[in-house]
Each structure stands twice: as C-alpha cells, then as structure tokens.
Amino acid sequence: MEKNSGNGPSVSRRSVVGSAVVAALATAGAAAGTARAASRTGAGPWEPVPLPAQAPATEHQVPVAGGGSLWCWDTGGRGEPVVLLHPGSGSGESWPYQQPVLAAAGYRAIGYSRRGAHGSVAGSKAEADTASGDLDTLADHLGLDRFHLSGSAAGGPVALDYALGHQDRLLSLTVSGSVMGVRDAAYLELSEGLRPEPFEELSVDFRELGPSYRAGDPDGVAAWLAVNARARTADAFAQSLAHEITWDALATLTLPVQLVTGDADLYTPPSVLRLAAGHLRDARTHVVDEAGHNPHWERPAAWNRLLLSFLRRHAARRR
C-alpha cells in the first residue's frame, strides 16, 4: 500500500525486447539533514505480469574508446530522454517492462549494454574509458542535451559516478536496488556482512529475485534467466569509476535523487536504503513490496509508477 530523436547513425530498426556500525552510520545520515520522503508501494496483491509488446526502437552501435562499441536501442521522438543503466546480471535487454511504458508516456527511452554485455564490444581494456565516460560518449553520440538517468543494481554506481562529474547534464537520477558503490569502510563492513560466504555460490535467481516472485511467476523467472544467460560476453572486463564514491562525495550532489528497493532485496534492504538517503541533499526513498533486487522486473507496474511520477516532478520545463 502506498503511504505517503536520435542523431547517431542507425544500424537497424526493430522491437527491443554490526549494531554499532549501524548506529554510527544512521547518526551520520541523520546529521546530514537531507530532505527526503519515504513510501512503500505495491498496492493490491502481487500478480504475474506478462512481457508487453515493445515500442518501435532504433538500434545503434556507439563507438567508444579503445575499439569498443555499445549496443543501444532508442525509441526516439521529441520527449525528454530517459537513459536506463542495466544491472550486472543483465544488459540492454533488461527493460522490456519499461521501454513501451516510457514511450507511451511521451519519453524518449534509451537503453544500452555496457562493455562486455549483450550486443556490445568490450575493446581494449588498456585503452578503455570509465563506464561513466562511455555513458557521456553515448549521450553525445545520440545528441542528448539534458536527460533523466536511471541505474539498477550495478548500474547504480555508474549512474552516481556520472552524476558526480556531470550533474549539470541530468534532470533527475533514480537508483534502484543498488549498493551504490560507496567505499566508506563502515558501510562496506555493513553491506558485505549482509551477504556472507557462500552467498556468491548460490544461483543468480536466488540472490537477485525475491521469493514471492520466484514462487509465483516461473515464466517470468525463465525470461529473466534467459536475459542473464546472454548478458556477459567473452571479452568482458571490469571498468573503473572516474570518482571514488563516498558519503562525502554524494553529499555534494544537488540534483533530485530517487532511491528504490524491494522489501526482499538481499543487497539493499529498506534500512540500508534509508541510510543512503541520509547522505543525500534531495532524496526520496521507496520500498516496493514483494520484490527482491530487481523490482523493475518483479513488480514493473509499481516501479514504473514511481519512475514516471519522479520524471514528471522533475521535468525540464519546470526548471
């Protein structure tokens, strides 16, 4: 229940598918004095949602430094651009529930695969840019001026890294189901302690999808696993960030930020989400009921409603 048009060359066109630690961190967050609002969402009982038909989209291969390229889809149009950054378990294919909804709402929806993810070419690690640098290259290539940015899970640190260097280019920032890449020692101890060994040896669907979803929508789980199976390419390598993400660094952001998590997220449970919000100047937090680490996939209607409301609240015309 709730409480509270591309300028680059196109390739083709198709439909795209410890208690002391906690106390210390909570005190630091409260002292930050940030403006934030909290809510829970997911009105009505959870029900499976079939994959929707996709809106027409143009595909691009966007060249990036070191001989790499980023596979990108773009619904085009004259609406405000919304760029979607995928989880580490996914790729540019991770947004079938968002692509048609954003397009129908009048936005120019854009998703892409980072280096080493489905459809992209990693190129040379020695000559590669940072992941946020690649995003800036993509934005230039597509002729984007200011845009909304949404990063899920491993896409969250990339989104925050981009905001730290280019927040004047962003209309809003949404970070969903993400540990956010924060490097403060106390936070790392807290966060990593939530997932002790042998956590990483467990199946990816157990780690990332909530139990309600896994029990209730086997077809949806199969579709998510199919995206995951295609997600990583043989030439994949880890990219560095341009900035060290710390609480002090995040406190410098002045743009509006929305933080979302699922109530069954094993990486970012609601208490950790509220902790993160305490270090941001302008943050809203939302907890999606009956969802794990991927609420955009598990409860797309609720997640989409949050995103669209936030986008409308921070439209360019109001600035």
Side-chain angles (χ1 to χ4, degrees):
M1 178 177 294
E2 186 111 26
K3 292 183 180 178
N4 339 10
S5 147
N7 295 328
S10 63
V11 175
S12 66
R13 187 170 181 85
R14 72 169 191 181
S15 294
V16 181
V17 265
S19 59
V21 173
V22 175
L25 289 173
T27 300
T34 58
R36 57 192 184 274
S39 76
R40 295 186 68 92
T41 188
W46 176 87
E47 295 180 353
V49 179
L51 289 171
Q54 301 294 284
T58 301
E59 291 186 47
H60 306 271
Q61 284 289 341
V62 179
V64 288
S69 66
L70 308 178
W71 172 66
C72 166
W73 54 261
D74 179 357
T75 62
R78 302 180 64 179
E80 291 181 353
V82 181
V83 178
L84 303 168
L85 285 168
H86 63 81
S89 57
S91 68
E93 292 189 304
S94 292
W95 309 102
Y97 289 108
Q98 285 69 49
Q99 192 256 32
V101 172
L102 287 167
Y107 292 97
R108 179 183 174 185
I110 298 166
Y112 74 98
S113 291
R114 297 189 294 278
R115 294 179 193 247
H118 173 77
S120 292
V121 176
S124 166
K125 182 177 181 179
E127 299 175 14
D129 201 347
T130 62
S132 60
D134 284 349
L135 171 56
D136 205 45
T137 297
L138 179 139
D140 288 343
H141 184 89
L142 297 181
L144 307 185
D145 182 13
R146 301 186 70 197
F147 57 95
H148 301 277
L149 184 61
S150 179
S152 177
V158 179
L160 288 164
D161 191 42
Y162 188 82
L164 288 171
H166 304 279
Q167 68 173 316
D168 58 333
R169 198 167 186 176
L170 296 180
L171 296 168
S172 73
L173 173 61
T174 295
V175 177
S176 178
S178 178
V179 299
M180 300 171 59
V182 174
R183 303 305 301 168
D184 294 75
Y187 177 76
L188 287 173
E189 180 183 349
L190 170 67
S191 181
E192 293 171 359
L194 294 173
R195 302 177 301 281
E197 296 181 358
F199 183 81
E200 294 299 331
E201 298 176 16
L202 301 173
S203 66
V204 66
D205 53 323
F206 179 88
R207 299 196 309 266
E208 296 209 7
L209 300 176
S212 188
Y213 185 75
R214 286 184 282 113
D217 191 357
D219 290 340
V221 172
W224 185 88
L225 284 171
V227 171
N228 172 259
R230 294 188 294 270
R232 302 299 288 173
T233 59
D235 60 353
F237 55 80
Q239 288 178 269
S240 61
L241 298 176
H243 306 83
E244 184 177 20
I245 302 177
T246 64
W247 292 137
D248 286 345
L250 294 183
T252 67
L253 295 177
T254 59
L255 82 165
V257 181
Q258 175 171 238
L259 302 179
V260 184
T261 196
D263 63 355
D265 190 336
L266 298 176
Y267 294 82
T268 312
S271 60
V272 174
L273 192 79
R274 293 189 293 269
L275 167 64
H279 294 274
L280 292 162
R281 296 190 187 188
D282 183 3
R284 301 178 66 86
T285 65
H286 302 278
V287 177
V288 180
D289 292 337
E290 294 193 64
H293 195 47
N294 291 265
H296 68 282
W297 184 288
E298 299 170 67
R299 298 216 66 178
W303 195 91
N304 291 346
R305 184 167 60 247
L306 292 174
L307 181 63
L308 288 173
S309 176
F310 194 64
L311 298 180
R312 291 166 182 149
R313 186 178 298 115
H314 300 290
R317 62 180 176 275
R318 296 185 181 179
R319 293 175 171 268

